Amino acid sequence: MLIRKNQTGFEHPVPSEITPQHFYSGRRDWLRLMAGGAAGAAMATWASREAFAQGAVAPVRPGKLAALAAVKSTVAGATTMEKLTEYKDASTYNNFYEFGTDKADPARNAGTLKTTPWTVQVDGLVNKPTRFALEDLLKLSAMEERTYRLRCVEGWSMVIPWVGYSMSELIKRVEPQGSAKYVEFITLADPKTMPFVGSRVLEWPYVEALRMDEAMHPLTLLTFGMYGEVLPNQNGAPVRLVVPWKYGFKSGKSLVRIRFTDKQPATAWNKSAPQEYGFYSNVNPTVDHPRWSQATERRIGEDGLFAKRRKTLMFNGYEAQVGQLYAGMDLRKLY
Ligand code: MTE
């Protein structure tokens, strides 16, 4: 995430300072083709597309972590047919500031994250506050595979087959009270296992929040896995949020507490740089970040010499499903 020197004095990089990925990925693609043979690589792509077209879930299961079985979701908009980002890219190009600010840091450093035992406290304005053990959360509802675009505010995007179920399933169990208007998502801040917690990069713990109707929307995914397996640590194990129509930072990783409240919560990036990151953070190509345009995006893995940036879509392409949540709102003011 990218902000200029903020109240904490931390200097964040801007996109132009990040090593252009094509410098190394072009060479990497070439090496891969040489190693596997161009025909072999084409066959593998064809086979995974074919399996996907036939309704198989998790077409690119890398086989490194425990498998997480799922059925293909029937929720409207839950499955884009766009080409999947390679697992290798999705699990090595990350934002998880608790483990460092470089894109490669989370994959390098998150091995220390201890994901068992794990509980998620769900409380605040609810009739049934509950501390859920991860094992119970895993059984709470049927796991679905949803292939969502994730678009980062920095101007890059990926297409990832996530595994989880609608956040609304969990919300219903705790019976929110009528006064609950917002849901706050609080993530782990453990200085013993997370080397950057305690640094002045952000205020810890990392906190995100949604309005109640956003949290209840069927596309909002309580996420336990990706590519048919449990989440790797660097992607937010053992449980995170994925909100596909918002910039990636709204999707908090390694959740430990979910709290229902009547007041709009202060969120990590908004506290850090309010002029750059608002509460809503809907993907919106017509509202520029104060320091760069949001009109286009770079799809990770498409960084060849001739790759063009893609046009960013309103609500990240989920306008038909979520546009009505914001009817009548001035999305320039409420960015
Ligand atoms: N959650 C926590 N706890 N800490 C973080 O630094 N970064 C956010 C979000 N969730 C972040 C987080 C940002 S800026 C993005 S773009 C996404 O995670 C990236 O998710 P990914 O690494 O799985 O692609």
Side-chain angles (χ1 to χ4, degrees):
M1 285 278 293
L2 313 158
I3 51 181
R4 226 191 279 278
K5 213 168 206 149
N6 60 21
Q7 299 93 307
T8 61
F10 176 76
E11 185 88 59
H12 289 245
V14 296
S16 57
E17 289 167 355
I18 298 167
T19 311
Q21 213 203 8
H22 60 261
F23 284 160
Y24 56 90
S25 65
R27 185 170 161 274
R28 196 190 53 201
D29 289 346
W30 180 79
L31 288 172
R32 195 192 307 125
L33 282 179
M34 287 302 109
M43 278 297 283
T45 309
W46 174 83
S48 68
R49 273 208 206 111
E50 189 63 11
F52 195 49
Q54 287 167 14
V57 292
V60 193
R61 215 191 120 208
K64 286 192 206 142
L65 298 171
L68 192 56
V71 295
K72 208 163 180 177
S73 181
T74 54
V75 168
T79 301
T80 163
M81 294 304 282
E82 283 179 273
K83 184 169 173 280
L84 298 181
T85 300
E86 283 193 36
Y87 182 85
K88 186 167 46 62
D89 290 331
S91 59
T92 56
Y93 190 87
N94 299 105
N95 277 337
F96 199 168
Y97 271 38
E98 288 83 338
F99 293 102
T101 54
D102 190 87
K103 293 286 176 283
D105 283 344
R108 236 186 257 136
N109 300 334
T112 50
L113 176 66
K114 195 167 161 279
T115 57
T116 48
W118 193 276
T119 59
V120 181
Q121 174 73 29
V122 188
D123 58 8
L125 300 172
V126 295
N127 293 333
K128 294 185 171 170
T130 310
R131 181 182 286 276
F132 290 92
L134 180 68
E135 298 71 40
D136 297 330
L137 279 182
L138 285 164
K139 288 183 292 200
L140 191 104
S141 189
M143 288 289 168
E144 296 181 11
E145 184 169 271
R146 314 254 185 109
T147 303
Y148 287 163
R149 285 176 287 268
L150 180 137
R151 204 279 194 193
C152 180
V153 76
E154 295 162 348
W156 50 266
S157 62
M158 303 198 196
V159 178
I160 297 180
W162 303 104
V163 180
Y165 49 77
S166 295
M167 181 65 212
S168 61
E169 294 293 335
L170 175 60
I171 296 181
K172 283 185 240 159
R173 306 296 164 110
V174 295
E175 296 180 9
Q177 294 165 5
S179 52
K181 298 279 181 288
Y182 296 91
V183 193
E184 186 178 36
F185 298 91
I186 301 159
T187 75
L188 182 70
D190 176 14
K192 289 200 282 305
T193 56
M194 300 171 133
F196 271 63
V197 165
S199 77
R200 299 190 313 156
V201 180
L202 280 174
E203 249 181 61
W204 311 101
Y206 187 103
V207 172
E208 261 309 333
L210 295 172
R211 213 170 56 189
M212 192 70 176
D213 56 347
E214 296 176 324
M216 285 297 289
H217 193 281
L219 286 175
T220 301
L221 192 69
L222 192 62
T223 307
F224 301 86
M226 60 187 224
Y227 299 84
E229 295 183 350
V230 297
L231 288 168
N233 289 355
Q234 60 269 32
N235 289 82
V239 55
R240 70 176 292 177
L241 203 67
V242 180
V243 191
W245 68 96
K246 291 183 182 269
Y247 292 119
F249 66 90
K250 295 299 280 185
S251 298
K253 295 175 165 182
S254 304
L255 299 173
V256 291
R257 187 170 176 205
I258 297 171
R259 200 172 69 92
F260 292 77
T261 144
D262 52 357
K263 290 182 198 67
Q264 184 173 298
T267 57
W269 287 106
N270 183 243
K271 276 193 273 184
S272 173
Q275 69 290 358
E276 304 201 355
Y277 306 111
F279 176 83
Y280 281 95
S281 309
N282 290 316
V283 175
N284 189 339
T286 68
V287 177
D288 290 342
H289 184 280
R291 289 183 287 130
W292 59 83
S293 160
Q294 292 290 21
T296 64
E297 66 203 51
R298 174 170 72 90
R299 181 64 51 87
I300 299 296
E302 288 183 351
D303 308 278
L305 223 45
F306 305 106
K308 276 211 284 217
R309 289 177 69 89
R310 291 166 178 253
K311 273 195 167 170
T312 287
L313 303 173
M314 188 65 199
F315 297 112
N316 201 22
Y318 299 93
E319 183 164 18
Q321 289 81 30
V322 303
Q324 75 282 3
L325 296 180
Y326 308 100
M329 281 174 57
D330 181 347
L331 297 180
R332 282 182 182 278
K333 280 205 188 111
L334 296 162
Y335 56 95

